[in-house]
Amino acid sequence: MKKDIHPAYHPINVKMTDGTIVHMMSTWGKEGDTMSLDIDPSAHPAWTGGNTRLLDTGGRVSKFKKKYEGLGF
C-alpha cells in the first residue's frame, strides 16, 4: 500500500436539523470541525415515511388503483 495517499480519518461533530450533535469519524474537514446538515434521517420523509403525495402522470396511479381495487390498495 502506498504511503500518504489516503485522506486523514478523524472525529468530527455532525449537527442534525433538530440541533442534536452526533460524533462520528470522517475524512471531511479537520478534527473537531462541525458539519451542519440541511437534511438528515430524523427529518427527511424518505427515512421517516412522512406525508407523501403521488403524482398521477398520465393516469398511471388511477389505472393501478382500478386494476387492483379488490386487494385494498
Side-chain angles (χ1 to χ4, degrees), residues 3 5 10 12 15 20 24-25 29-32 34 36-37 39-40 42 44 49 51 55 60 68:
K3 292 183 178 184
I5 63 167
H10 49 271
I12 65 165
K15 185 176 181 183
T20 59
M24 56 180 56
M25 300 292 288
K30 294 180 234 159
E31 186 171 342
T34 301
S36 297
L37 299 179
I39 300 172
D40 65 34
S42 66
H44 195 278
N51 300 334
L55 181 61
R60 292 182 188 145
Y68 296 105

mmCIF file of all heavy atoms in Angstrom, residues 3 5 10 12 15 20 24-25 29-32 34 36-37 39-40 42 44 49 51 55 60 68:
data_model
loop_
_atom_site.group_PDB
_atom_site.id
_atom_site.type_symbol
_atom_site.label_atom_id
_atom_site.label_comp_id
_atom_site.label_asym_id
_atom_site.label_seq_id
_atom_site.Cartn_x
_atom_site.Cartn_y
_atom_site.Cartn_z
ATOM 1 N N LYS A 3 2.171 4.969 0.778
ATOM 2 C CA LYS A 3 2.066 5.849 1.940
ATOM 3 C C LYS A 3 1.586 7.236 1.507
ATOM 4 O O LYS A 3 1.823 7.672 0.382
ATOM 5 C CB LYS A 3 3.415 5.986 2.630
ATOM 6 C CG LYS A 3 3.872 4.714 3.285
ATOM 7 C CD LYS A 3 5.168 4.947 4.004
ATOM 8 C CE LYS A 3 5.596 3.682 4.708
ATOM 9 N NZ LYS A 3 6.797 3.860 5.495
ATOM 10 N N ILE A 5 -1.241 8.584 0.653
ATOM 11 C CA ILE A 5 -2.213 8.850 -0.404
ATOM 12 C C ILE A 5 -3.649 8.839 0.131
ATOM 13 O O ILE A 5 -4.566 9.230 -0.564
ATOM 14 C CB ILE A 5 -2.095 7.843 -1.567
ATOM 15 C CG1 ILE A 5 -2.407 6.423 -1.111
ATOM 16 C CG2 ILE A 5 -0.727 7.911 -2.215
ATOM 17 C CD1 ILE A 5 -2.619 5.453 -2.256
ATOM 18 N N HIS A 10 -10.617 11.229 10.906
ATOM 19 C CA HIS A 10 -10.603 11.837 12.230
ATOM 20 C C HIS A 10 -12.026 12.074 12.731
ATOM 21 O O HIS A 10 -12.977 12.048 11.944
ATOM 22 C CB HIS A 10 -9.844 13.167 12.162
ATOM 23 C CG HIS A 10 -10.313 14.024 11.032
ATOM 24 N ND1 HIS A 10 -9.758 13.938 9.782
ATOM 25 C CD2 HIS A 10 -11.313 14.928 10.931
ATOM 26 C CE1 HIS A 10 -10.383 14.782 8.978
ATOM 27 N NE2 HIS A 10 -11.338 15.385 9.648
ATOM 28 N N ILE A 12 -15.308 14.101 13.879
ATOM 29 C CA ILE A 12 -15.957 15.394 13.649
ATOM 30 C C ILE A 12 -17.298 15.385 14.373
ATOM 31 O O ILE A 12 -17.764 14.346 14.844
ATOM 32 C CB ILE A 12 -16.191 15.689 12.147
ATOM 33 C CG1 ILE A 12 -17.174 14.689 11.532
ATOM 34 C CG2 ILE A 12 -14.885 15.731 11.390
ATOM 35 C CD1 ILE A 12 -17.714 15.127 10.177
ATOM 36 N N LYS A 15 -24.022 18.236 13.183
ATOM 37 C CA LYS A 15 -25.188 18.876 13.779
ATOM 38 C C LYS A 15 -26.414 18.574 12.930
ATOM 39 O O LYS A 15 -26.487 18.961 11.766
ATOM 40 C CB LYS A 15 -24.976 20.383 13.869
ATOM 41 C CG LYS A 15 -26.073 21.108 14.590
ATOM 42 C CD LYS A 15 -25.762 22.585 14.729
ATOM 43 C CE LYS A 15 -26.861 23.287 15.463
ATOM 44 N NZ LYS A 15 -26.613 24.730 15.533
ATOM 45 N N THR A 20 -29.367 18.457 17.591
ATOM 46 C CA THR A 20 -28.546 17.463 18.268
ATOM 47 C C THR A 20 -27.228 17.292 17.530
ATOM 48 O O THR A 20 -27.144 17.495 16.322
ATOM 49 C CB THR A 20 -29.262 16.097 18.355
ATOM 50 O OG1 THR A 20 -29.562 15.657 17.035
ATOM 51 C CG2 THR A 20 -30.527 16.183 19.165
ATOM 52 N N MET A 24 -18.886 11.488 14.963
ATOM 53 C CA MET A 24 -18.558 10.373 14.070
ATOM 54 C C MET A 24 -17.214 10.610 13.415
ATOM 55 O O MET A 24 -16.665 11.701 13.473
ATOM 56 C CB MET A 24 -19.654 10.159 13.026
ATOM 57 C CG MET A 24 -20.001 11.324 12.169
ATOM 58 S SD MET A 24 -21.303 11.004 10.964
ATOM 59 C CE MET A 24 -22.655 10.442 11.960
ATOM 60 N N MET A 25 -16.712 9.566 12.791
ATOM 61 C CA MET A 25 -15.434 9.632 12.101
ATOM 62 C C MET A 25 -15.678 9.988 10.630
ATOM 63 O O MET A 25 -16.664 9.549 10.038
ATOM 64 C CB MET A 25 -14.711 8.291 12.189
ATOM 65 C CG MET A 25 -14.413 7.838 13.600
ATOM 66 S SD MET A 25 -13.201 8.870 14.424
ATOM 67 C CE MET A 25 -11.719 8.391 13.568
ATOM 68 N N GLY A 29 -13.237 17.849 6.434
ATOM 69 C CA GLY A 29 -12.741 18.905 7.304
ATOM 70 C C GLY A 29 -11.533 18.507 8.120
ATOM 71 O O GLY A 29 -10.733 17.662 7.737
ATOM 72 N N LYS A 30 -11.431 19.167 9.297
ATOM 73 C CA LYS A 30 -10.333 18.888 10.220
ATOM 74 C C LYS A 30 -10.908 18.286 11.493
ATOM 75 O O LYS A 30 -12.110 18.363 11.749
ATOM 76 C CB LYS A 30 -9.596 20.181 10.560
ATOM 77 C CG LYS A 30 -8.871 20.802 9.387
ATOM 78 C CD LYS A 30 -8.173 22.057 9.822
ATOM 79 C CE LYS A 30 -8.648 23.158 8.887
ATOM 80 N NZ LYS A 30 -8.496 24.476 9.392
ATOM 81 N N GLU A 31 -10.066 17.723 12.305
ATOM 82 C CA GLU A 31 -10.512 17.109 13.549
ATOM 83 C C GLU A 31 -11.226 18.136 14.422
ATOM 84 O O GLU A 31 -10.753 19.249 14.630
ATOM 85 C CB GLU A 31 -9.318 16.537 14.309
ATOM 86 C CG GLU A 31 -9.718 15.774 15.534
ATOM 87 C CD GLU A 31 -8.555 15.032 16.170
ATOM 88 O OE1 GLU A 31 -7.533 14.835 15.509
ATOM 89 O OE2 GLU A 31 -8.713 14.656 17.338
ATOM 90 N N GLY A 32 -12.441 17.780 14.876
ATOM 91 C CA GLY A 32 -13.219 18.658 15.736
ATOM 92 C C GLY A 32 -14.131 19.620 15.001
ATOM 93 O O GLY A 32 -14.913 20.322 15.633
ATOM 94 N N THR A 34 -17.344 21.051 12.830
ATOM 95 C CA THR A 34 -18.766 20.733 12.910
ATOM 96 C C THR A 34 -19.401 20.878 11.539
ATOM 97 O O THR A 34 -19.306 21.931 10.914
ATOM 98 C CB THR A 34 -19.483 21.665 13.910
ATOM 99 O OG1 THR A 34 -18.873 21.497 15.191
ATOM 100 C CG2 THR A 34 -20.948 21.344 14.007
ATOM 101 N N SER A 36 -22.906 21.019 9.607
ATOM 102 C CA SER A 36 -24.333 21.249 9.812
ATOM 103 C C SER A 36 -25.109 20.696 8.630
ATOM 104 O O SER A 36 -24.811 21.022 7.482
ATOM 105 C CB SER A 36 -24.619 22.743 9.956
ATOM 106 O OG SER A 36 -23.980 23.250 11.106
ATOM 107 N N LEU A 37 -26.099 19.864 8.920
ATOM 108 C CA LEU A 37 -26.881 19.238 7.865
ATOM 109 C C LEU A 37 -28.166 20.009 7.599
ATOM 110 O O LEU A 37 -28.795 20.515 8.526
ATOM 111 C CB LEU A 37 -27.234 17.807 8.256
ATOM 112 C CG LEU A 37 -26.075 16.852 8.484
ATOM 113 C CD1 LEU A 37 -26.596 15.478 8.885
ATOM 114 C CD2 LEU A 37 -25.215 16.747 7.242
ATOM 115 N N ILE A 39 -30.541 18.423 5.617
ATOM 116 C CA ILE A 39 -31.459 17.288 5.569
ATOM 117 C C ILE A 39 -30.776 16.133 6.284
ATOM 118 O O ILE A 39 -29.611 15.857 6.031
ATOM 119 C CB ILE A 39 -31.760 16.874 4.115
ATOM 120 C CG1 ILE A 39 -32.393 18.028 3.363
ATOM 121 C CG2 ILE A 39 -32.642 15.653 4.075
ATOM 122 C CD1 ILE A 39 -32.550 17.788 1.885
ATOM 123 N N ASP A 40 -31.498 15.476 7.188
ATOM 124 C CA ASP A 40 -30.925 14.315 7.853
ATOM 125 C C ASP A 40 -31.982 13.231 8.035
ATOM 126 O O ASP A 40 -33.168 13.475 7.812
ATOM 127 C CB ASP A 40 -30.281 14.706 9.183
ATOM 128 C CG ASP A 40 -31.260 15.212 10.210
ATOM 129 O OD1 ASP A 40 -32.400 14.740 10.249
ATOM 130 O OD2 ASP A 40 -30.875 16.076 11.014
ATOM 131 N N SER A 42 -33.456 12.037 10.523
ATOM 132 C CA SER A 42 -34.513 12.267 11.510
ATOM 133 C C SER A 42 -35.617 13.181 10.986
ATOM 134 O O SER A 42 -36.688 13.250 11.576
ATOM 135 C CB SER A 42 -33.922 12.868 12.790
ATOM 136 O OG SER A 42 -33.416 14.158 12.536
ATOM 137 N N HIS A 44 -36.087 13.830 7.161
ATOM 138 C CA HIS A 44 -36.409 13.673 5.748
ATOM 139 C C HIS A 44 -37.476 12.596 5.539
ATOM 140 O O HIS A 44 -37.396 11.521 6.122
ATOM 141 C CB HIS A 44 -35.146 13.309 4.971
ATOM 142 C CG HIS A 44 -35.308 13.470 3.497
ATOM 143 N ND1 HIS A 44 -35.898 12.517 2.708
ATOM 144 C CD2 HIS A 44 -34.983 14.489 2.670
ATOM 145 C CE1 HIS A 44 -35.913 12.921 1.462
ATOM 146 N NE2 HIS A 44 -35.363 14.114 1.412
ATOM 147 N N GLY A 49 -40.978 8.321 6.387
ATOM 148 C CA GLY A 49 -42.257 7.917 5.816
ATOM 149 C C GLY A 49 -43.299 8.999 5.960
ATOM 150 O O GLY A 49 -44.487 8.736 6.087
ATOM 151 N N ASN A 51 -45.433 12.669 5.049
ATOM 152 C CA ASN A 51 -46.517 12.938 4.107
ATOM 153 C C ASN A 51 -45.987 12.924 2.679
ATOM 154 O O ASN A 51 -45.196 13.759 2.295
ATOM 155 C CB ASN A 51 -47.144 14.298 4.400
ATOM 156 C CG ASN A 51 -47.713 14.346 5.786
ATOM 157 O OD1 ASN A 51 -48.075 13.318 6.342
ATOM 158 N ND2 ASN A 51 -47.787 15.540 6.362
ATOM 159 N N LEU A 55 -47.882 11.664 -7.585
ATOM 160 C CA LEU A 55 -48.124 12.481 -8.759
ATOM 161 C C LEU A 55 -48.676 11.568 -9.841
ATOM 162 O O LEU A 55 -48.008 10.640 -10.291
ATOM 163 C CB LEU A 55 -46.822 13.138 -9.215
ATOM 164 C CG LEU A 55 -46.910 14.040 -10.429
ATOM 165 C CD1 LEU A 55 -47.844 15.210 -10.156
ATOM 166 C CD2 LEU A 55 -45.532 14.552 -10.784
ATOM 167 N N ARG A 60 -51.574 6.942 -14.397
ATOM 168 C CA ARG A 60 -50.964 5.669 -14.023
ATOM 169 C C ARG A 60 -51.426 5.197 -12.654
ATOM 170 O O ARG A 60 -51.694 4.014 -12.465
ATOM 171 C CB ARG A 60 -49.444 5.786 -14.049
ATOM 172 C CG ARG A 60 -48.899 5.971 -15.443
ATOM 173 C CD ARG A 60 -47.393 6.024 -15.421
ATOM 174 N NE ARG A 60 -46.890 6.382 -16.737
ATOM 175 C CZ ARG A 60 -45.829 7.124 -16.938
ATOM 176 N NH1 ARG A 60 -45.155 7.585 -15.927
ATOM 177 N NH2 ARG A 60 -45.440 7.395 -18.157
ATOM 178 N N TYR A 68 -56.265 -3.015 -9.312
ATOM 179 C CA TYR A 68 -56.085 -3.790 -8.087
ATOM 180 C C TYR A 68 -56.995 -3.315 -6.951
ATOM 181 O O TYR A 68 -56.646 -3.470 -5.783
ATOM 182 C CB TYR A 68 -54.619 -3.704 -7.647
ATOM 183 C CG TYR A 68 -53.683 -4.330 -8.639
ATOM 184 C CD1 TYR A 68 -52.891 -3.536 -9.463
ATOM 185 C CD2 TYR A 68 -53.598 -5.707 -8.765
ATOM 186 C CE1 TYR A 68 -52.029 -4.102 -10.388
ATOM 187 C CE2 TYR A 68 -52.725 -6.284 -9.691
ATOM 188 C CZ TYR A 68 -51.952 -5.482 -10.483
ATOM 189 O OH TYR A 68 -51.108 -6.050 -11.398
#
